Amino acid sequence: MMMEHFTLEPLAARHGDCLLLHFGPAGSPGTILIDGGPSQVYGQSLKPRLKQLQQNRPGGAFAIDLLIVSHIDDDHIRGVIDFTEEWRDAKTDHRPWAWPVRQLWHNSFERIAGGSPKDVRASILSSFGAQTFPEIAEMDGDDEDRHAALKIFASVGQGAQLRSDAELLGIPTNQGFAGLVQPGSDPADPVDFGSGLSLHIVGPLPAQIDALRQKFAAELPKGPAASFAAYVDESVPNLSSIVILAGYKGKTMLLTGDARGDYMLDGLDNAGLLDNGKLHVDILKMQHHGSDRNTASGFFKAVTADHYVASASGKYENPDRETFEMLIHARPKTDRYTIHLTGEVDAIDALREKERAATRAEKLAKHKPAPPAWDADKHGLATLFAKAGQEGYKFKVRTPAQGSVAIDLLDPIGF
């Protein structure tokens, strides 16, 4: 019998996402790259792994069949920019490039907003009173929704650079879509990517994008104050994420970007993928690095998985303990599933504690409500997992120290 691969490989991506999806027959497998993580990830994780794949993967000349940038946020797109910059330099110097990309899926914010790229970028800078997009990242984001929106807009310039690089490098972008990567006229119809791989676009939904565009059209002409309020609307970061249900040989992965749980449930329902309001997948890439602000217990009851992946380092206190509490309590004690972390539990907790202390000091200095001081018993992941095990829960926690981070749903990859 021919060996087949359907594997998700979460690379060490600091506080971001960088995922490799391997699929197809063992003799000629395909590769999809989803996001590139923040700074340092390309050089430390992605580039070394691409070198290994080029040398060891069977099937002839290596290529990335599809590059997906889930959304413009530095902890997802920066590594991709580092990749395309190096490729661009190689092209300028007439040097061969070992890891060509056959196509790109990327929703720029300008397309989401529905305006001309130049006008939208100028409006954003004017609204935020900034000269450059990185300045926006330094603005006050005390409210979590506002902070998430600020991160998106700080990366608008990176999205523009990616589009420019893709054009220079001849990478076809959003082929088969009418502009944005989003569900088509029949949302139940997945994209047939070839080799038996289906990519079901779950979000963003056209109706949600249209509502956001109408809001922008009404508010932006009113001036910087009104447009600022529109830009920091909580729907902006959620509607920026491409959400995909990948399927191969009866196995499934839900790839979520930073989308909110209720938005994903709407998308899954719209696509006819829910059965009595529920869906079981083999792998769930936990949204927004396991942040509790993007999910609720109802989501974990509606969408269950055999494998949960949280790509996070402890920065911004992600993954949140509350997220895992919701997951654990949504599943019966006897359920056997695995939580995959991209770092070691103790190291993640140590950075979460440090982040909590810094946030608390900053809030208190500004005389604003502050989170409680760190208490390992109440806030630590290590204590939560240990307690759950003592109470009889059957899930497992897997970290890089225990071996390969790749999650093989069919035959294991050997490259």
Side-chain angles (χ1 to χ4, degrees):
M1 181 180 295
M2 180 183 296
M3 293 179 62
E4 300 276 358
H5 299 311
F6 193 40
T7 296
L8 186 68
E9 184 180 2
L11 301 184
R14 302 179 63 213
H15 53 280
D17 278 2
C18 186
L19 311 166
L20 288 167
L21 194 165
H22 308 279
F23 67 95
S28 56
T31 301
I32 295 176
L33 170 62
I34 304 106
D35 294 331
S39 64
Q40 303 176 36
V41 170
Y42 172 63
Q44 294 178 359
S45 297
L46 179 56
K47 184 176 180 179
R49 183 60 177 129
L50 292 176
K51 286 183 177 180
Q52 289 179 338
L53 291 173
Q54 178 201 6
Q55 295 168 358
N56 301 329
R57 202 192 73 170
F62 176 75
I64 296 170
D65 297 283
L66 174 63
L67 167 59
I68 302 172
V69 176
S70 65
H71 63 299
I72 54 163
D73 193 340
D74 185 78
D75 55 13
H76 293 252
I77 195 174
R78 178 68 256 177
V80 175
I81 296 295
D82 292 340
F83 171 86
T84 58
E85 282 181 343
E86 192 168 298
W87 185 0
R88 191 183 63 206
D89 290 344
K91 182 180 178 71
T92 300
D93 296 339
H94 304 287
R95 290 183 282 110
W97 183 250
W99 316 301
V101 174
R102 293 192 169 125
Q103 59 175 304
L104 166 69
W105 286 3
H106 163 55
N107 286 348
S108 69
F109 178 76
E110 295 93 326
R111 283 190 179 274
I112 292 172
S116 74
K118 183 178 180 180
D119 289 346
V120 172
R121 290 197 294 271
S123 173
I124 292 169
L125 291 174
S126 174
S127 300
F128 285 92
Q131 296 296 315
T132 65
F133 289 103
E135 289 177 38
I136 299 174
E138 304 304 319
M139 295 182 179
D140 189 0
D142 284 339
D143 174 82
E144 288 193 52
D145 289 323
R146 174 178 161 129
H147 175 73
L150 291 174
K151 286 180 64 187
I152 293 293
F153 289 111
S155 299
V156 167
Q158 291 174 316
Q161 181 179 340
L162 177 59
R163 289 196 311 279
S164 175
D165 286 352
E167 184 175 351
L168 176 69
L169 297 168
I171 307 173
T173 301
N174 296 359
Q175 277 190 322
F177 298 95
L180 292 173
V181 177
Q182 59 184 351
S185 56
D186 182 0
D189 189 18
V191 174
D192 181 357
F193 196 72
S195 300
L197 177 69
S198 67
L199 299 176
H200 214 133
I201 312 302
V202 174
L205 292 179
Q208 295 169 336
I209 293 292
D210 289 344
L212 186 65
R213 286 175 173 174
Q214 290 173 18
K215 179 173 183 177
F216 284 163
E219 297 299 321
L220 301 195
K222 297 178 183 178
S227 56
F228 177 84
Y231 283 138
V232 297
D233 183 279
E234 67 174 29
S235 65
V236 170
N238 291 297
L239 292 182
S240 297
S241 284
I242 297 172
V243 181
I244 295 171
L245 181 68
Y248 185 76
K249 302 293 182 180
K251 302 293 186 179
T252 53
M253 307 176 184
L254 185 58
L255 308 170
T256 62
D258 280 2
R260 208 170 64 193
D262 56 343
Y263 279 68
M264 285 192 284
L265 289 176
D266 287 344
L268 292 167
D269 185 52
N270 180 66
L273 294 169
L274 298 181
D275 183 5
N276 292 320
K278 298 183 181 299
L279 172 70
H280 184 79
V281 296
D282 293 285
I283 299 175
L284 170 63
K285 201 290 293 183
M286 298 177 78
Q287 57 269 37
H288 205 168
H289 320 292
S291 169
D292 65 350
R293 67 175 297 277
N294 279 56
T295 194
S297 59
F299 176 80
F300 289 123
K301 291 177 181 177
V303 179
T304 55
D306 296 331
H307 302 272
Y308 297 85
V309 178
S311 183
S313 64
K315 190 173 179 62
Y316 306 121
E317 291 194 59
N318 290 332
D320 283 309
R321 172 169 165 147
E322 290 78 6
T323 301
F324 291 117
E325 288 175 338
M326 286 187 277
L327 167 60
I328 292 168
H329 296 145
R331 303 288 300 262
K333 284 185 176 182
T334 54
D335 278 8
R336 297 181 182 274
Y337 55 90
T338 303
I339 295 170
H340 300 259
L341 302 176
T342 53
E344 301 308 312
V345 177
D346 288 345
I348 291 172
D349 269 348
L351 184 51
R352 291 178 63 243
E353 180 179 3
K354 183 177 179 180
E355 292 282 296
R356 169 67 64 95
T359 300
R360 180 175 165 80
E362 180 182 357
K363 298 283 189 181
L364 291 174
K366 294 179 179 180
H367 305 289
K368 294 183 177 181
W374 177 269
D375 181 328
D377 288 337
K378 295 179 179 178
H379 306 130
L381 300 182
T383 53
L384 171 67
F385 296 148
K387 180 181 178 183
Q390 293 167 1
E391 292 176 352
Y393 284 91
K394 301 300 182 183
F395 70 86
K396 297 179 180 178
V397 177
R398 186 170 179 83
T399 67
Q402 296 168 268
S404 172
V405 296
I407 306 169
D408 299 300
L409 297 181
L410 297 173
D411 294 304
I413 58 172
F415 43 81

